[in-house]
Amino acid sequence: MDSLIAAAARALTAGDALGALNLIALRNDAPALALRGIAMAQLGDLSRARTLLRSAQRAFRPTDAVARARCVVAEAEIALATRELGWPARSLEAARATLDAHGDRLNAAHARYLSVRRMLLIGRLDDAEAALIALDPGPLPPAWQTSHYLAVAGIAMRRLRSNAARSALARAARAAERAGITGLTAEVERAFEALEAPAARLIANGVERLLLLEDVERVFASNALVVDACRLVVRDPGTMVSLAGRPLLFAIVRALGEAWPGGATRRDLLARAFGAKFVDESHRARLRVEIARLRRILRPLAGVTATEDGFALAPKRRRVVVLTPPVDGHSAAVLAFLADGESWSSSALALALRTSQRTVQRELDRLASAGKVQSVGRGRARRWSTPPAVGFTTTLLLPTPLPTA
């Protein structure tokens, strides 16, 4: 490593991107291209950073395996920051293996944390949790420790474990303070705000109210039968029935839950489940079939009884409550992801929501017409966003350009 490259690498490690660029701005050799790419990423020009990193990968010789792997990790982090979740994860895994094999444990750990954050974004909580358990943040620098504890807190919040989330965020705050990186400190503060924000809406006996994460934990631990529209399940403390693959049945049981202790009329059930505006005998016959299916599925938890003009839920527990997302409706899931303030492509949203890109595009067009989302770019470069809000964010740490011990 020549003296200018070494000086630029030290400047980048210290967070001085402009100082690094002043040293290597006119050089186009492979190490300079890689460092310029990381510097541009730190300055926020992610498109230019990606171009430089790809040029660096092509310019490095095949024997420069570690340098090429660091470029791959940096490009993966940029893809994560721009929510391009379709970026090939296998390339990141191959880069991590290369870094591990050559003793670059810090950047290898960074690659692992990028994988964990991608899993969190696309809802693979079990995989993310297993990967985190295998990682020891102790030997890592404070910035990477912050990333570790933020990921732990993210999983705990999604698992509805508020105490564990609070403890992890406290550790993340201490690590961010030691790191001295303003962006990381702000990210921890936003995570604390998300922890204190309403996590769900409760509907019981015709009354609605917002719940914090701790309140949701108490509802699940209570003796109530919970119709959970956040996860499309019906549960009590001992049993859980998933209706995630039966949206029509869930629409019926949700309508019954919202009407409890009274009943829901056939007209209301047909409108909620089938979207029927006019009711005829064929609709009534189909409703009877679906009610029969629902009775079989819910048998461990509740019965469904006929009333004079419809049906009612007969729980084995003392009461019925319905839990919904704080922002409900067909577009709630799309808005929940966009609420992190980052720009998402429709393909990344489709991947995270596990639905088709066409379905997501329809929701985005509807939200755009209502002024709730906005887009920039055209074609495959088009990105969607909302005004920044609390939630999951990504601070670019980027691979360290210096060799590690």
Side-chain angles (χ1 to χ4, degrees), residues 338 344 364 367-368 371-376 383-387:
L338 292 177
W344 288 70
L364 288 170
L367 289 168
K372 295 182 178 179
V373 301
Q374 57 190 12
S375 66
V376 294
R383 296 292 182 272
W384 297 85
S385 64
T386 59

Side-chain angles (χ1 to χ4, degrees), residues 20 35 50 65 120 163 218 247 324 328 343 358 375 389:
L35 294 178
R50 191 199 309 266
L120 272 175
N163 288 336
R218 281 193 283 273
T324 73
D328 206 2
S343 298
R358 186 178 181 83
S375 66

Side-chain angles (χ1 to χ4, degrees), residues 56 63 74 77 154 185 279 311 313 328 361 378:
T63 53
E77 187 167 7
T185 303
V279 178
F311 297 91
L313 210 52
D328 206 2
Q361 191 60 55
R378 291 182 177 276

Side-chain angles (χ1 to χ4, degrees), residues 334 345-347 349-351 353 355-365:
V334 174
S345 64
S346 57
S347 59
L349 283 169
L351 182 64
L353 292 167
T355 187
S356 71
Q357 189 172 346
R358 186 178 181 83
T359 300
V360 169
Q361 191 60 55
R362 281 199 298 267
E363 292 295 341
L364 288 170
D365 291 339

Side-chain angles (χ1 to χ4, degrees), residues 266 270 274 279-292:
R266 290 181 179 82
L270 288 167
F274 305 116
V279 178
D280 58 24
E281 195 53 39
S282 66
H283 285 117
R284 292 175 181 274
R286 190 176 174 191
L287 179 60
R288 285 195 295 272
V289 171
E290 299 299 342
I291 289 290

Side-chain angles (χ1 to χ4, degrees), residues 214-258:
E214 293 91 338
D215 300 325
V216 177
E217 285 183 272
R218 281 193 283 273
V219 168
F220 285 158
S222 72
N223 199 30
L225 177 72
V226 182
V227 180
D228 185 355
C230 302
R231 298 158 192 79
L232 300 185
V233 300
V234 182
R235 61 191 296 170
D236 67 12
T239 309
M240 183 172 73
V241 172
S242 175
L243 294 175
R246 313 289 290 272
L248 191 149
L249 291 185
F250 187 82
I252 294 174
V253 74
R254 176 174 171 173
L256 294 173
E258 291 181 7

